[in-house]
Amino acid sequence: MSNINITASSGETFWKPWQKIAFRFFFPFLVLSSYLCWDATIYIVHGAFFRNQFDLGVLYKPLAAMLYWLDKHIYHTGFNPQTQQGFPGDNHFGVVFYFTLFYLSIIVAIVWSILDKKRSGYDRPYYWLCLYLRYALIIVMFSYGIDKLIPTQMMPPGVLAMTTPYGYLNRYFVLWDFMGMSPGYQIFTGACELVATFLLFSRRTAVFGYVLMAGILANVVALNIFYNVTVKLFSSQLLLYTLFLLAPYAKNIFQFFFMGNATPFLQKRFIFRTKLKRYLIGGILIFIPLVLMVIITVGTYHRYLRKTADASREKIYNVTAFAAKDTLQPFVDDSVRWKRMLLNVYNNHAVIFTKDDQLDWYECDVDSAKKTFTLHNNPDKKSWKIFNYLNPSKDQLQLTGKWKGRAIQVSMKAWPVDSMPLNQEKVKLVGD
């Protein structure tokens, strides 16, 4: 790959009119939308070190009123900041947010074209824009890659996934459980993302990195769309960045792969004249990403240990006897009778399966001194369900208390998760 060095005093090359107009649109759109890359980095770093999730809405709260006004008078998508999420995901806020960036960028492009119509080109701002987008991709994709290389993003299916009938799962959980069930495959996909990420560091390998990253992100976007993963817009944004960076080399790639012509991938490189400035910018481009990568890697490893410990605490109890003491009916309604109870789901939740396979979710507070379970899913303490518990043996649990207006006694036996066939099966390179 060849480089063309441009010093600070070098003139601009001549750009075609459509190229200048396109740049005037993409520059504000890509720079402003990159804010999501840094809030995603904050979210990932926070999640790596803290159990509670970072509230992204805090970063976008100043925009909520403005976006609500724009939606009410222009877009009409139905965005309501009082009842809906306040950050740009696959939601009303996200749609309004991207609409606003799109139309704002058109306005900027029009005004810019009027005020700067005599300029021949934008070599230097284009170079710095590409450099900025390249490093934004490096940081974000490293975060996702290390989250798979240390298989944390999709953990192995927990007790909830293992006991929920397949037909009751949504597409998101099917995908997450599919990836989590095979840590080896998740590690492979993370390694691919990291290889593409590290290729972007060097100008010599950047174009191959863009090609590899485009393929990876195209697959990610497809999975997000067809499995209803709620980062469709953001992953599409990352794919757009990659295609924008790859666009200048599209003709060369086509000539190489389809016409058999080996053409050089020329890259224009803007450099400072003074060594101090060159060393400074070089140091920044190496030091800051490496510091972030170390922080993200250490935090991801800690999160992996925390999630693994949480998963080991999850328990399955199958009901062996269920008695509703206030009734003489030969059977109890299936919406009342328990089938199974899961404990320590997502750290401190309990999930009760009724006989008709409906799920009741509760936060569960255990008082080992009083020997009580307190189940609650709202602030009204009058609705809280308090059960006395006993452990007749190590693998048995007995609860006594009120359930949906009836006095009940439930006897249960632990079902070891490791005994399930899916957890016992190993990877086979050669079949029988």
Side-chain angles (χ1 to χ4, degrees):
M1 184 179 295
S2 302
N3 292 320
I4 300 176
N5 293 335
I6 305 172
T7 64
S9 60
S10 300
E12 304 283 0
T13 57
F14 180 77
W15 287 35
K16 296 177 181 178
W18 71 266
Q19 292 175 318
K20 291 188 285 185
I21 293 172
F23 177 78
R24 292 163 186 158
F25 168 80
F26 279 109
F27 186 89
F29 183 82
L30 298 178
V31 170
L32 292 175
S33 64
S34 70
Y35 182 74
L36 275 76
C37 296
W38 307 117
D39 78 38
T41 302
I42 293 171
Y43 180 84
I44 291 169
V45 171
H46 181 274
F49 290 97
F50 300 96
R51 187 178 291 275
N52 63 310
Q53 288 189 339
F54 181 77
D55 182 11
L56 288 173
V58 173
L59 302 177
Y60 294 92
K61 193 172 183 179
L63 297 177
M66 179 192 71
L67 295 181
Y68 174 66
W69 186 92
L70 289 172
D71 186 66
K72 184 177 181 180
H73 294 88
I74 300 175
Y75 308 133
H76 306 294
T77 68
F79 171 57
N80 184 350
Q82 301 299 322
T83 59
Q84 295 170 340
Q85 291 177 319
F87 59 89
D90 295 343
N91 50 30
H92 284 81
F93 190 104
V95 172
V96 175
F97 179 82
Y98 282 104
F99 271 157
T100 302
L101 289 186
F102 179 78
Y103 291 122
L104 178 62
S105 298
I106 290 177
I107 294 171
V108 170
I110 293 172
V111 174
W112 193 349
S113 297
I114 294 172
L115 298 178
D116 199 26
K117 59 185 177 182
K118 293 184 179 180
R119 185 160 180 166
S120 61
Y122 295 98
D123 286 334
R124 279 171 284 184
Y126 173 72
Y127 170 80
W128 289 112
L129 174 62
C130 288
L131 186 66
Y132 172 72
L133 293 178
R134 181 153 60 97
Y135 274 82
L137 268 177
I138 286 173
I139 299 302
V140 174
M141 292 307 297
F142 177 84
S143 301
Y144 282 115
I146 201 67
D147 214 21
K148 296 183 181 71
L149 191 70
I150 304 172
T152 309
Q153 186 177 10
M154 298 93 163
M155 296 295 290
V159 296
L160 179 63
M162 299 292 277
T163 55
T164 301
Y166 191 80
Y168 284 78
L169 295 173
N170 60 35
R171 294 183 179 217
Y172 172 89
F173 282 111
V174 168
L175 174 63
W176 237 243
D177 292 339
F178 155 72
M179 293 290 293
M181 193 60 240
S182 178
Y185 179 69
Q186 185 177 176
I187 291 170
F188 170 76
T189 58
C192 290
E193 291 178 356
L194 289 177
V195 168
T197 296
F198 287 119
L199 287 172
L200 300 186
F201 268 107
S202 171
R203 290 185 301 275
R204 293 180 179 274
T205 58
V207 175
F208 181 59
Y210 298 149
V211 173
L212 181 58
M213 189 68 79
I216 291 170
L217 284 173
N219 180 60
V220 170
V221 170
L223 288 172
N224 290 343
I225 290 174
F226 298 116
Y227 282 90
N228 290 333
V229 182
T230 57
V231 285
K232 293 182 279 291
L233 291 174
F234 182 59
S235 58
S236 299
Q237 176 183 323
L238 296 177
L239 178 59
L240 175 63
Y241 288 2
T242 306
L243 295 177
F244 179 84
L245 293 168
L246 186 61
Y249 312 103
K251 183 177 179 181
N252 304 71
I253 293 171
F254 179 82
Q255 289 287 331
F256 179 78
F257 283 106
F258 298 100
M259 304 302 293
N261 299 327
T263 57
F265 291 84
L266 297 176
Q267 286 187 322
K268 292 181 180 179
R269 179 188 175 198
F270 179 81
I271 61 174
F272 292 105
R273 283 186 167 185
T274 62
K275 288 186 177 180
L276 177 62
K277 291 182 178 179
R278 289 202 295 270
Y279 290 149
L280 181 62
I281 190 67
I284 291 173
L285 293 178
I286 294 174
F287 178 75
I288 293 179
L290 285 180
V291 169
L292 285 173
M293 286 177 178
V294 169
I295 292 173
I296 292 169
T297 301
V298 172
T300 301
Y301 178 67
H302 287 163
R303 187 159 58 94
Y304 171 75
L305 295 178
R306 190 170 67 241
K307 282 190 168 186
T308 302
D310 288 345
S312 67
R313 294 174 56 245
E314 294 183 343
K315 303 292 183 183
I316 305 174
Y317 286 95
N318 285 332
V319 174
T320 56
F322 184 93
K325 296 181 179 179
D326 61 344
T327 179
L328 298 177
Q329 296 178 2
F331 63 90
V332 181
D333 192 317
D334 281 351
S335 65
V336 176
R337 185 185 293 273
W338 294 14
K339 177 181 181 181
R340 177 179 299 122
M341 185 178 190
L342 312 180
L343 291 177
N344 303 321
V345 178
Y346 300 137
N347 189 34
N348 67 332
H349 286 78
V351 182
I352 296 172
F353 285 73
T354 54
K355 277 291 187 180
D356 57 358
D357 283 322
Q358 297 302 309
L359 277 62
D360 286 306
W361 280 79
Y362 299 95
E363 288 188 55
C364 180
D365 300 324
V366 181
D367 189 330
S368 57
K370 296 181 179 179
K371 292 286 186 178
T372 60
F373 278 10
T374 302
L375 306 182
H376 53 94
N377 55 11
N378 63 67
D380 184 9
K381 291 188 177 182
K382 294 181 180 179
S383 67
W384 291 11
K385 299 167 179 59
I386 301 175
F387 293 91
N388 295 305
Y389 76 87
L390 292 173
N391 295 110
S393 65
K394 186 178 179 180
D395 64 344
Q396 290 183 326
L397 176 65
Q398 189 176 88
L399 299 181
T400 305
K402 283 274 191 176
W403 171 254
K404 297 186 177 180
R406 300 188 182 188
I408 65 170
Q409 184 177 53
V410 188
S411 297
M412 295 175 284
K413 186 175 182 179
W415 183 14
V417 181
D418 293 337
S419 67
M420 294 185 175
L422 186 59
N423 283 333
Q424 291 184 330
E425 184 182 5
K426 305 299 182 182
V427 174
K428 293 181 179 179
L429 298 180
V430 179
D432 294 335

